[in-house]
Amino acid sequence: MELKNYYVALTYDLKVGEEDELMESTTPEQPFTFYSGLGMVLEDFEKAIMACEVNGEFDFTIPAERAYGEYDDESVIDLPKNIFEIDGKIDENILFEGNIVPLQDNEGNRINASVVSVGTDTVTVDLNHPLAGENLHFVGKVLVKREASLEEIQKSMQPSCGGCSGSCGGGCSCDSDCSCGGCE
């Protein structure tokens, strides 16, 4: 039996913490979209959404260990400041507290790190996902759920913008007007 891929559009509010702090929200005008079966979103997120019908409302929580894992203090590290130099200079528009900077591991995999502090010779970065240690509470509504065409699937697999970073089920936040359909 062949598995079908679906195009899904939905709205949601993502809340975290004991106080159910609103972290992210989408609207019918700018819904979150993804293609099922391609690993674009968290597995538990996809399972919960795929169980819904069009116009179906949902309210579910993904525990931290099934989302982005527990927060790891050992993933906060100091790096030599000079590795952030470009042509012998540090770009102060990029290297500042709270900014997300792209790094690469020893195998060439891209890792986004949050700058914790910038010292004279070192930069402290946090390699944890911004939502590590958080239970993710999603409340929303499925707007569209239909079988995706092969052309749509192929197009979704092509990079459509650089530097996307999503915090929830795979959503994308870019400075440009791109349609990532989900990033990690």
Side-chain angles (χ1 to χ4, degrees):
M1 184 171 114
E2 184 179 328
L3 291 175
K4 294 180 181 175
N5 297 102
Y6 287 85
Y7 168 80
V8 182
L10 54 100
T11 61
Y12 67 79
D13 288 340
L14 168 60
K15 299 175 183 181
V16 299
E18 292 181 25
E19 305 294 321
D20 254 359
E21 174 190 352
L22 182 65
M23 277 305 269
E24 190 170 272
S25 188
T26 65
T27 64
E29 297 77 29
Q30 292 189 311
F32 173 70
T33 63
F34 72 95
Y35 293 94
S36 68
L38 301 178
M40 294 178 141
V41 295
L42 294 169
E43 182 180 342
D44 287 7
F45 181 87
E46 184 169 318
K47 283 180 184 176
I49 297 304
M50 294 310 293
C52 296
E53 298 297 326
V54 174
N55 294 318
E57 295 184 0
F58 56 85
D59 184 340
F60 62 90
T61 299
I62 302 173
E65 61 273 7
R66 298 276 307 156
Y68 296 105
E70 296 300 330
Y71 189 86
D72 180 10
D73 290 327
E74 292 184 20
S75 290
V76 178
I77 60 172
D78 290 327
L79 297 173
K81 190 173 184 179
N82 66 351
I83 69 168
F84 295 95
E85 290 180 359
I86 299 174
D87 296 328
K89 290 186 173 184
I90 300 287
D91 185 347
E92 303 298 331
N93 293 321
I94 294 174
L95 199 57
F96 59 90
E97 287 182 26
N99 196 33
I100 304 298
V101 293
L103 301 175
Q104 281 188 342
D105 65 13
N106 293 338
E107 296 160 9
N109 299 311
R110 183 181 168 153
I111 303 168
N112 286 330
S114 176
V115 177
V116 176
S117 64
V118 180
T120 305
D121 298 320
T122 61
V123 176
T124 304
V125 296
D126 186 345
L127 302 174
N128 287 291
H129 187 280
L131 293 175
E134 298 284 359
N135 295 328
L136 309 181
H137 180 196
F138 291 94
V139 178
K141 182 177 182 178
V142 175
L143 305 175
V144 177
K145 181 178 165 186
R146 62 167 172 74
E147 194 171 332
S149 70
L150 180 59
E151 182 178 286
E152 286 177 308
I153 299 298
Q154 290 171 338
K155 185 176 180 181
S156 75
M157 301 303 281
Q158 298 171 356
S160 57
C161 65
C164 290
S165 62
S167 58
C168 66
C172 191
S173 60
C174 299
D175 292 333
S176 63
D177 183 25
C178 68
S179 56
C180 292
C183 302
E184 290 190 30

